[in-house]
Amino acid sequence: KQLFRKILSFRTRYLTVVLEDLYQPQNASAVLRSCDGFGVQDVHIIENRNVFGVDKGVTIGSDKWLSLFRYRDPDVNNTEAAYRELRDRGYHIIATTPDDRQQSIADFHPCEPVALVFGAEKTGLSDYAKTNADSFLYIPMYGFSESFNISVSVAVCLYQLRGRIMGSELPWQLSDQEKQELYLQWLRKSIRRLKALEQKYREILDDEAKKS
């Protein structure tokens, strides 16, 4: 319980990660592990063409502490649905892809909640994801390769932005209510034979109510 409360004090929803059509489970799992490691609570997963798979050997259980939001309805543009949901939550949507309006991650300082959108391996972001983003970021590179592996890109971006929000006056921490809700969720995921214990507890309450 002490560990839960300590981790919750560092959890944030000020940054969130959006993954569009990742298809390699190892990459997807490495991204989730990085999100947990950098204290990013929410991950939004878009599945238009590819199913998002998780490799438990890579996540080493980190995915169970995250809040995963999946957009995978058939015959709809799930990227559009995700963007609509993110804007309703107050996020500034940033596409991580080369663009004439791009800004280096080294020069970007968030002043509002940020949703970082990452595209599929090789093909990158869809046209819709790029056209409807609010702004663009890139990671400076100095070698022959034109891009990093997506899991590396996510980790680099989160490392940069996590440090900046923590050293600022921005309201990056969870509210007390959010902390309490996650605390209860994490307890439920940690207690063995939870359903049996809850049933026993309800029976005790029922017996006490009858006696009174």
Side-chain angles (χ1 to χ4, degrees):
K1 289 191 291 185
Q2 289 177 341
L3 179 60
F4 282 172
R5 296 196 185 280
K6 177 183 177 181
I7 291 174
L8 283 168
S9 70
F10 292 106
R11 272 304 204 248
T12 188
R13 286 190 163 117
Y14 203 83
L15 304 175
T16 192
V17 167
V18 186
L19 305 173
E20 185 188 46
D21 277 325
L22 268 64
Y23 61 84
Q24 294 183 352
Q26 288 185 325
N27 283 338
S29 303
V31 169
L32 296 184
R33 186 168 170 178
S34 292
C35 288
D36 175 63
F38 286 112
V40 173
Q41 181 59 36
D42 296 345
V43 181
H44 295 258
I45 300 165
I46 299 168
E47 299 170 89
N48 284 316
R49 303 187 310 274
N50 304 318
V51 176
F52 186 89
V54 174
D55 185 330
K56 297 295 185 182
V58 177
T59 62
I60 58 170
S62 59
D63 53 310
K64 79 175 185 178
W65 310 115
L66 300 173
S67 300
L68 305 182
F69 301 88
R70 304 183 78 154
Y71 305 84
R72 51 184 174 181
D73 291 339
D75 303 320
V76 302
N77 185 340
N78 288 294
T79 304
E80 181 181 1
Y83 274 26
R84 185 167 55 248
E85 176 67 20
L86 290 163
R87 287 198 168 97
D88 287 345
R89 292 171 180 243
Y91 284 102
H92 181 85
I93 298 175
I94 299 179
T96 57
T97 186
D99 185 90
D100 292 340
R101 297 164 289 172
Q102 67 185 349
Q103 181 180 11
S104 169
I105 186 73
D107 300 324
F108 178 68
H109 295 269
C111 58
E112 58 186 321
V114 168
L116 297 169
V117 189
F118 298 86
E121 300 89 342
K122 295 185 180 180
T123 58
L125 291 172
S126 67
D127 289 340
Y128 183 93
K130 290 183 285 188
T131 301
N132 291 276
D134 298 316
S135 56
F136 300 84
L137 284 180
Y138 74 98
I139 300 171
M141 299 187 65
Y142 307 100
F144 292 105
S145 300
E146 295 181 354
S147 64
F148 289 111
N149 176 279
I150 184 170
S151 62
V152 174
S153 296
V154 172
V156 169
C157 290
L158 292 184
Y159 175 78
Q160 292 268 2
L161 298 184
R162 176 77 210 207
R164 286 174 199 154
I165 65 171
M166 286 187 68
S168 72
E169 299 296 324
L170 296 170
W172 61 267
Q173 290 181 299
L174 300 178
S175 67
D176 289 341
Q177 180 177 348
E178 288 175 315
K179 290 178 182 178
Q180 184 64 18
E181 288 173 355
L182 284 173
Y183 180 72
L184 293 174
Q185 288 177 25
W186 292 353
L187 282 177
R188 291 190 178 101
K189 292 178 179 180
S190 305
I191 299 173
R192 296 181 181 179
R193 300 181 65 250
L194 177 63
K195 290 184 179 180
L197 290 171
E198 287 184 338
Q199 179 61 33
K200 183 64 176 178
Y201 182 63
R202 283 193 291 268
E203 291 173 359
I204 292 172
L205 291 179
D206 288 343
D207 289 341
E208 290 179 350
K210 291 175 182 178
K211 291 178 182 177
S212 60

